[in-house]
Amino acid sequence: MTGVITRATAVPAPGLPDRVTIYEVGPRDGLQNEQAVVPVAVKEEFVRRLLAAGLPLVEATSFVHPRWVPQLADAADLMTRLGADGLDCPVLVPNERGLDRALELGLRHVAVFASATEAFAAKNLNRTLETQFAMFEPTVERALAAGLDVRAYVSMCFGDPWEGPVAPEQVVGVGQRLLAMGATQLSLGDTIGVGTAGHVTALVEAFTAAGTPLDRLALHFHDTYGQALSNVQAGLRAGVTTYDASAGGLGGCPYAESATGNLATEDLVWLLDGLGIEHGVDLGALVATSSWMAGQLGRPSPSAVVRALAQSTS
C-alpha cells in the first residue's frame, strides 16, 4: 500500500497574501450546536490541544444564558480551568451580563454577535435590526474602557433563510456602525453557506469602497453548498487575511436550521499550504485533535482532510 501524502505541495499564486491568521471557533461555534452536552474536561482538553497545534486565536466559549445555549452553560467553569492559558482566548459576550462574567475572570478578548438582517435579529437577538445596536453599545464601550479587545460578528451577510439574498450595502451599514463603536475587527459570516466567490468579492469591495481597511475584516464561511474553500480563495484575492474556521468542521448555528458545518480548519490549512501561504498551524497535531474530538462525539469528522489524514496521524 502506498503512503499517505500529509502535506499539500506548495505552488504559490501571484497576488495573494504571504500570511493569514486562522481564528479557530470550534470550541464555541462548533460545540454550541451539539445535541449532547460535552463534558467540561473534554472542552478544556480540546482548547489546550488547539493552542498546542499553533492556532493563535481559539475562541473558547460564550457567556450566553444557558436557557438559549445549554451546551455552553459551563463557560465560567471552562475558563477557570484553563487559567492563565485561557486569558487570551476570545469569548462571545451577547450583552453586559456576559461581559461582567468575562471581566470577573480577567479575560482579554471578547466578541459581540450582530445580524445583517431584520429576521435574524428578531430570531437570534429578540431585537430589530436597529435596536440591536442599543444592546451592543454599552457592552463594547465598557469592554474597551477596561482595555479589552472587541471583535464583532455579523451574521447572514450573504443570504437569510427568511429574507433571501442580502445586499452588500446592507451588510456594510451594519458593519460600519459596529466599527464606529470601537470593534477592532468584523467577522463577516455566511451563516447558511449560500455565498459564492463573486458575492464574496463584491462584499469585500463594498467595505473597502466605504473606507474599511482590509485588516479590519475577517471572513467566516459555512460549507453547506460546498463553496467554503472557493470563497476563501476569493477572499484571499481580495486581500483579506483573517479567516474563521472550526477544527474538524464542527458546528453550525442553533437559530438557523439550514446552517450546517463551518469551514474545517484542516481543509483551510491544506488550501493555504498548497498556495504557499504561512499560517503557523501544525496540521498533523490539528488532525489528531479533530480525530480525538470526533471520537468523543461518537461520529466521523466532516472534514475531508481529517478523513484523509486521520489514519496517518493516529
Side-chain angles (χ1 to χ4, degrees):
M1 179 179 178
T2 57
V4 176
I5 294 175
T6 60
R7 186 179 177 91
T9 300
V11 183
L16 300 184
D18 295 327
R19 186 178 182 89
V20 305
T21 298
I22 298 176
Y23 191 105
E24 173 62 47
V25 299
R28 194 276 300 174
D29 196 18
L31 296 184
Q32 74 175 6
N33 212 41
E34 289 299 311
Q35 294 300 311
V37 174
V38 176
V40 68
V42 173
K43 292 178 181 176
E44 179 189 359
E45 183 170 352
F46 191 31
V47 172
R48 291 189 184 280
R49 291 180 67 148
L50 292 169
L51 291 168
L55 286 153
L57 294 162
V58 179
E59 191 171 73
T61 190
S62 172
F63 288 113
V64 66
H65 196 289
R67 180 172 67 252
W68 301 114
V69 186
Q71 295 89 338
L72 303 181
D74 55 6
D77 188 11
L78 172 62
M79 300 314 294
T80 299
R81 293 171 68 113
L82 287 169
D85 292 333
L87 294 180
D88 286 318
C89 288
V91 297
L92 191 68
V93 292
N95 49 38
E96 287 193 88
R97 291 188 298 277
L99 176 62
D100 288 339
R101 298 171 72 191
L103 291 172
E104 288 167 4
L105 290 163
L107 306 182
R108 299 171 182 146
H109 301 272
V110 296
V112 296
F113 195 89
S115 173
T117 67
E118 195 76 59
F120 197 63
K123 292 180 180 294
N124 187 40
L125 303 170
N126 198 29
R127 301 290 177 106
T128 66
L129 190 62
E130 177 61 32
T131 60
Q132 66 176 333
F133 297 104
M135 180 171 66
F136 304 137
E137 286 170 349
T139 304
V140 173
E141 182 178 356
R142 286 183 54 210
L144 293 173
L148 276 64
D149 174 75
V150 180
R151 186 186 221 221
Y153 287 96
V154 184
S155 59
M156 300 296 175
C157 291
F158 296 86
D160 179 299
W162 301 279
E163 295 186 16
V166 180
E169 56 267 24
Q170 182 170 326
V171 182
V172 172
V174 171
Q176 292 287 78
R177 291 185 66 171
L178 293 165
L179 288 172
M181 285 183 200
T184 56
Q185 186 177 69
L186 289 176
S187 174
L188 306 175
D190 185 11
T191 313
I192 57 173
V194 294
T196 55
H199 198 164
V200 172
T201 302
L203 182 59
V204 174
E205 289 179 347
F207 269 99
T208 56
T212 305
L214 284 168
D215 62 4
R216 305 289 295 278
L217 299 178
L219 293 170
H220 182 121
F221 297 122
H222 286 221
D223 208 30
T224 314
Y225 293 87
Q227 300 301 299
L229 289 177
S230 174
N231 290 340
V232 169
Q233 291 185 72
L236 290 169
R237 288 193 295 271
V240 177
T241 58
T242 300
Y243 294 87
D244 297 359
S246 176
L250 296 175
C253 175
Y255 303 103
E257 290 183 4
S258 53
T260 53
N262 289 289
L263 166 63
T265 312
E266 295 83 0
D267 298 2
L268 174 61
V269 167
W270 188 273
L271 172 70
L272 296 174
D273 284 346
L275 292 169
I277 298 174
E278 295 293 328
H279 49 74
V281 178
D282 181 331
L283 180 58
L286 182 59
V287 168
T289 296
S290 291
S291 298
W292 166 82
M293 178 53 79
Q296 299 296 316
L297 298 174
R299 65 173 186 275
S301 168
S303 163
V305 171
V306 171
R307 294 196 302 271
L309 298 186
Q311 187 173 1
S312 67
T313 58
S314 60

